[in-house]
Amino acid sequence: MRPTTMTASLNRHSERCDGFKRVLLAIVLSTLFLLPTIVSAEAPANSLAVPIGPDPFLQIDNLLPTPNESRLASGAPGPEYWQQRVNYDIEATLDEDRKMIRGRERIQYENHSPHRLSYLWLQLDANQFSPHSDAVLSRTWKENGDVKIEELQRLIAARQFDGSMQILGVKDSVGNDLHHAASKGLLRVDLPTPLLPGETFTFDLRWEFLINNSKLFSGRTGYEPLDDGNAIFALAHWYPRLCAYTDYGGWRLKGFLGMGEFTLEFGDFNVTLNVPADHFVAATGSLLNPADVLSPVMQARLEESAAAAGPVFIVNREEADAKRKATSSPDLKTWKFNAKNVRDFAFASSRTFLVDAWGRKQGDKTVRCMSLYPREGMPLWDRFGTHALAHTLEVYSEMTGIPYPWPHVTAVMGVVWSGMEYPMISFNNPRPEKDGTYSESTKRQMIGTLIHETGHNWFPMIVNNDERHWMWLDEGINTFLHRIAEQRWSHN
């Protein structure tokens, strides 16, 4: 579908559904019909009888957890429900030449549980790139023994490159050292005194790590080198993050093997990013200092895009190409972001980015849909990228009954092999061939990936289900809605 047709279709949808109730009803009914095939209790039988299989009259009750004051039988939070909260104040510097990021953060941990906590657990997911990590040591090879030279290079590089996070200090709010110990991808910080229910503990960390080359070490984060010596940086799980502490399982300490999902606590983020002066940055949250980092022309274009009939270039091809003549910058520029009530923070930075934006109405507010891509993404990303985001915004808000709550939804081309989501921002791979051509299947893959990763803003970023424990809740429900959004884009 052409962008002009897509624009018209965004304003033409007349069909409505009963919202997410219909989705949940379908899931519940399908579960009930499947119960006879998944319950293992067998009816008594004598030696001559033919086994009749699972009891078709078995109630669903014994498959569900017992309701309590924290979680009611209806699924709603009970009167004793609690959830921890973590606020972050982070400053980090991207060293483009050394492919390194170093930072410091202040963490404010609020204990809303009824328990005394004598220590806190944090995730150091960058440690998946340690040569001694479970992700590297558990990697298997193809059963047929077929080895390509590129695969062998990646295997050798994984044993030589150490991208683990180096913890340079952990102190309390007045500067006293805190005892801490790292165990693979986890960090335990011992508290000087137990943290009582209702209390808050504030502490500081300093850290640094080498950023992985995504062509050698695939994952959800890293830098992607381009043919002219420039790179796209897309940083995820790049700062020490508090593990979730829950009423259903205490500390959630399942290790990260590179492809697993996450569960995290909600909180507010104040993030300061020092990046090369000619980079453009997109991130979770609202940009607090646009006058310091955007030219007057960019600011004017951004304002124009809020009410435009279609996407507006904030950084166009000519401007992006001019910056690509350099592959590094001696100067830094500081970008400041704030995000409220989110569970994670990710960002992308590069001088190669073209940027287009389009404001879409959501109730009484305007949400900015924005795409960032190098010229290698044209002519596919500029034709369909931001349109796919706007389409997803409308369909998911309608189908779930949950209006999109944040100021922007952004897609970035680069780094990941398929797609990966974070609050307000996703990293995506589909792109044209090097000569600028693309097949119909590549176009469908690119649009479908953007719909899917944008849809994850609802599941799990808003609903906040525990992806690592109940991954089907996240991928299953999102895929259901993703298919509906694809069909509304094109019935083909």
Side-chain angles (χ1 to χ4, degrees), residues 71-109:
R71 296 167 184 259
L72 304 181
S74 66
E80 300 299 324
Y81 177 78
W82 52 269
Q83 185 173 316
Q84 308 291 66
R85 185 173 180 85
V86 190
N87 301 316
Y88 297 86
D89 196 328
I90 306 173
E91 181 174 3
T93 299
L94 176 62
D95 187 332
E96 182 176 34
D97 294 333
R98 298 181 62 192
K99 303 297 188 291
M100 171 181 279
I101 187 166
R102 58 178 60 87
R104 59 179 179 80
E105 64 188 276
R106 170 159 285 199
I107 298 175
Q108 183 185 68
Y109 188 88

Side-chain angles (χ1 to χ4, degrees), residues 165-179:
M165 183 173 287
Q166 306 301 310
I167 301 299
L168 306 178
V170 182
K171 298 178 180 292
D172 65 17
S173 59
V174 295
N176 298 316
D177 289 330
L178 293 174
H179 182 268

Side-chain angles (χ1 to χ4, degrees), residues 125-440:
D125 291 331
N127 285 6
Q128 67 167 302
F129 297 111
S130 163
H132 308 294
S133 71
D134 289 341
V136 172
L137 297 179
S138 64
R139 191 167 298 161
T140 58
W141 203 253
K142 299 176 182 178
E143 292 184 2
N144 61 10
D146 184 25
V147 181
K148 296 180 180 179
I149 185 64
E150 295 84 0
E151 295 170 330
L152 185 59
Q153 287 174 332
R154 287 194 290 269
L155 181 66
I156 295 172
R159 296 299 181 95
Q160 296 176 340
F161 174 75
D162 189 354
S164 56
M165 183 173 287
Q166 306 301 310
I167 301 299
L168 306 178
V170 182
K171 298 178 180 292
D172 65 17
S173 59
V174 295
N176 298 316
D177 289 330
L178 293 174
H179 182 268
H180 58 280
S183 176
K184 295 190 176 181
L186 296 169
L187 177 71
R188 196 180 95 163
V189 176
D190 295 325
L191 304 181
T193 58
L195 185 64
L196 301 180
E199 291 186 341
T200 297
F201 183 73
T202 301
F203 63 108
D204 300 313
L205 297 97
R206 292 187 302 110
W207 44 265
E208 65 181 23
F209 64 90
L210 294 171
I211 303 170
N212 59 294
N213 180 334
S214 64
K215 290 188 175 181
L216 291 176
F217 321 101
S218 62
R220 273 81 183 275
T221 185
Y223 73 91
E224 179 182 334
L226 302 175
D227 290 344
D228 64 355
N230 278 292
I232 296 171
F233 293 85
L235 276 298
H237 45 79
W238 55 278
Y239 60 97
R241 308 181 294 175
L242 258 297
C243 297
Y245 182 74
T246 69
D247 64 303
Y248 60 84
W251 288 108
R252 311 307 287 160
L253 301 178
K254 292 182 180 178
F256 182 50
L257 299 180
M259 296 304 294
E261 307 288 5
F262 312 100
T263 182
L264 297 162
E265 308 286 10
F266 279 116
D268 296 341
F269 286 76
N270 285 300
V271 179
T272 299
L273 299 172
N274 303 305
V275 305
D278 54 357
H279 277 211
F280 192 98
V281 178
T284 300
S286 299
L287 178 62
L288 299 180
N289 62 331
D292 296 334
V293 295
L294 303 178
S295 69
V297 172
M298 291 180 190
Q299 294 179 67
R301 292 170 179 170
L302 208 55
E303 185 175 348
E304 175 192 349
S305 72
V312 173
F313 274 108
I314 312 306
V315 179
N316 60 33
R317 169 74 181 266
E318 182 181 4
E319 293 162 339
D321 281 352
K323 291 194 293 183
R324 289 183 70 154
K325 295 176 182 178
T327 56
S328 65
S329 170
D331 301 319
L332 297 177
K333 190 174 286 186
T334 299
W335 297 64
K336 297 181 179 181
F337 296 90
N338 174 263
K340 295 187 181 300
N341 209 33
V342 296
R343 68 182 212 158
D344 201 2
F345 189 102
F347 74 94
S349 181
S350 180
R351 67 175 54 82
T352 69
F353 284 144
L354 288 85
V355 182
D356 67 62
W358 188 19
R360 303 303 297 161
K361 293 294 291 183
Q362 283 279 293
D364 59 353
K365 68 177 182 179
T366 298
V367 177
R368 179 181 297 124
C369 301
M370 188 162 64
S371 297
L372 288 80
Y373 45 93
R375 64 187 179 216
E376 287 84 349
M378 300 177 78
L380 191 56
W381 274 73
D382 54 322
R383 292 181 181 177
F384 302 106
T386 299
H387 286 276
L389 305 184
H391 177 72
T392 309
L393 197 70
E394 176 174 308
V395 174
Y396 272 69
S397 293
E398 175 194 329
M399 290 294 297
T400 64
I402 304 173
Y404 188 79
W406 296 313
H408 72 86
V409 56
T410 297
V412 179
M413 191 197 102
V415 174
V416 299
W417 66 273
S418 178
M420 186 58 197
E421 74 283 352
Y422 302 93
M424 306 181 220
I425 189 170
S426 64
F427 307 150
N428 309 271
N429 182 67
R431 63 192 68 185
E433 301 295 331
K434 286 194 174 185
D435 63 1
T437 62
Y438 58 86
S439 65
E440 184 66 20

